[in-house]
Structure formats: structure tokens, C-alpha cells
Amino acid sequence: MITLHQYHLSPFNEKIQRMLNHKGIPFEERYWTLGERKKVRALNPTGKLPALQNGERVVCDSTDVAHYIEQNFPQKPLIPSDPRLRAQVHVLEDWADESLYFYEMHLRFTTPGNRERNIPRMVEHEGAFLRWLLAKVVPGGIVRITGSQGIGRKSIEQLLVDVERHITAVDGLLDGADWLVGNQLSLADLAVYAMFQALRDADMVADMLARYPAVTAWMMRVEEHTGTRAARRD
Ligand SMILES: N[C@@H](CCC(=O)N[C@@H](CS)C(=O)NCC(=O)O)C(=O)O
């Protein structure tokens, strides 16, 4: 049986869960708390999740996990073999993972209103002491990460200009198309969907997304094709 090791509220979980769902691969979920980070390092020396375990084999990093799944479970392909389409999928997946990710992290967990709602959700499975402590230190820790990455130094107004440009880009890719790459669902759709879904947890982005009917219809299309999320929404 495949086990997907995850941290709560991570958008990378959803990318992999939907991939497994789409291919009809049964899996079980193991959620780790932030208090268990030392134990997570035994699984992945970088301390990051998700990681997929298939028997003795542990694959870390959602991109490597996605390629591992595609190679070992080739049914209902999500990574095209055509080199041009494959390259487009890679570029979009990497944009989602390495750019959109920082927007969702910053807007969801550090901005007023969103922070108060989402931080308690992130730490609700910790023990009482860590729940109290992490609720105090996590927003500052995230600002340090997004600050060194760069977007955490921008004003909220500027971040929303950036995010709207990203949504408009997806809207443009969907002009006359059902999917982001080629004419079928791919890993690119799952990676970008997962980040947009997380961005939706920030009120101002939820309102913005609602103004893009082609994008919201595409998100529903992704959901129709990849089933309900596994067991729990964290
Ligand atoms: N590139 C990695 C990113 C995974 C990642 O950043 N996961 C976060 C949760 S959203 C994490 O594990 N954070 C804990 C840490 O950085 O120690 C992937 O695609 O799996």
C-alpha cells in the first residue's frame, strides 16, 4: 500500500492526492505535526513533505513524486511524452511550486484576517503547548521565509496586482482550451490548481477568482476529473 506523508494545509498534498485519485491508485495518508519535524527528517533529510512511500521506497519532493507515480503507474497519463508538451507541463508545474506557492503562503498565513483564520487550522493537531507557541511564531517565521524569497517585502496591494496577473495568465491559457497544456488534463493543471485552491483561502483572492469565470470553471473541471480529496481536507 502506498502511504502519502504530509503536513497539514500544504498545497503540495493536493497535487499528489489528485494525481493518485485520477489514476485510481489506492493510498493511505499519514499527517505529521510540526512538533514531529525531527522524525520527518528520517524520512526526508530536508525535513519537507509530502513524501510518498511505496514499501521500502520513499520518494520526496512533489515533482519527483509525480514523476515516480507516472513511471510506475502509467495508466491515465498526466505527463505527456511529446517533448514540447512535456516541457510546457514542467514549466507550469515549476511556476506553481516555486512562485505561486510563496504568494499563497504569505497571503494565507501572514495577512490580517486570513492569518487569524488559517494559523489555528495549521496548528490544530499539535499538542497544547506547541499550539500556543506556534500560533505566535509561525506568522513571523513565514514572513522571514517570504521576505528572503522577496515577495514578503512587497505591500499587500502589490501582491494582489501580482496575483491578478497570474490569474489573468491562466485565464489566457484557457482561452479556447479546457486544459492548461494540450487538450487533456496534465500535471500542470494539478499543480496550478493546488496553488489557486490554497490562494482561495485568502479572502481577497477568493473575491478576485470569482471574477474569472473561465478559471473557476476550469477549477471545477479539475475537481470533476480527479475526484474528491482523499479522506480529509487536513
Ligand atoms: N518543493 C517541495 C516543497 C515542499 C514544501 O515546501 N513543503 C512544506 C509544506 S507546504 C514543508 O514541508 N515545510 C516544512 C519545512 O520547510 O521544514 C515539494 O514540491 O514537495
Side-chain angles (χ1 to χ4, degrees):
M1 173 63 96
I2 284 180
T3 304
L4 190 58
H5 297 273
Q6 305 161 98
Y7 282 129
H8 297 280
L9 294 190
S10 166
F12 297 101
N13 302 345
E14 181 147 24
K15 169 175 147 188
I16 301 302
Q17 288 173 8
R18 288 190 178 279
M19 187 167 188
L20 292 165
N21 283 346
H22 181 67
K23 286 174 176 283
I25 305 165
F27 65 103
E28 52 193 34
E29 298 187 88
R30 162 70 154 103
Y31 281 89
W32 295 79
T33 62
L34 295 171
E36 294 174 305
R37 284 172 83 182
K38 277 198 184 133
K39 287 190 206 155
V40 169
R41 282 185 191 277
L43 209 59
N44 179 5
T46 71
K48 284 184 180 273
L49 294 176
L52 180 137
Q53 184 167 10
N54 188 11
E56 294 296 297
R57 178 81 195 270
V58 177
V59 186
C60 305
D61 194 292
S62 66
T63 299
D64 286 332
V65 169
H67 282 262
Y68 173 86
I69 294 170
E70 187 74 9
Q71 241 170 15
N72 289 277
F73 304 91
Q75 68 270 26
K76 297 176 96 180
L78 287 167
I79 303 179
S81 50
D82 172 78
R84 203 175 160 79
L85 297 179
R86 195 179 177 89
Q88 288 172 18
V89 166
H90 174 69
V91 168
L92 283 171
E93 187 202 7
D94 203 57
W95 170 62
D97 290 5
E98 306 300 338
S99 175
L100 295 181
Y101 171 51
F102 290 97
Y103 286 93
E104 70 81 13
M105 190 203 279
H106 191 82
L107 290 170
R108 273 206 295 174
F109 298 114
T110 75
T111 57
N114 298 305
R115 178 181 55 210
E116 289 73 15
R117 188 178 64 255
N118 288 321
I119 292 285
R121 290 174 60 212
M122 182 199 263
V123 302
E124 70 185 331
H125 304 282
E126 310 288 338
F129 174 69
L130 270 184
R131 203 160 57 236
W132 169 82
L133 182 69
L134 290 170
K136 289 199 178 318
V137 302
V138 165
I142 290 179
V143 168
R144 270 193 297 284
I145 295 169
T146 56
S148 61
Q149 188 269 352
I151 65 125
R153 283 174 259 163
K154 294 187 176 186
S155 66
I156 294 182
E157 291 70 26
Q158 182 58 50
L159 291 176
L160 294 179
V161 170
D162 292 1
V163 168
E164 183 137 28
R165 203 174 279 130
H166 296 323
I167 295 173
T168 306
V170 169
D171 196 44
L173 288 171
L174 293 169
D175 188 16
D178 280 350
W179 306 108
L180 298 185
V181 174
N183 54 10
Q184 62 185 51
L185 176 76
S186 75
L187 177 60
D189 296 290
L190 302 187
V192 176
Y193 168 93
M195 294 303 158
F196 274 26
Q197 188 63 13
L199 275 162
R200 237 186 202 159
D201 270 344
D203 292 337
M204 50 288 215
V205 183
D207 294 343
M208 194 185 280
L209 269 170
R211 297 201 300 272
Y212 290 83
V215 176
T216 49
W218 161 77
M219 291 181 78
M220 283 171 66
R221 208 152 42 242
V222 170
E223 288 159 14
E224 279 157 20
H225 281 70
T226 56
T228 52
R229 283 191 57 164
R232 53 199 275 193
R233 177 153 171 80
D234 293 354

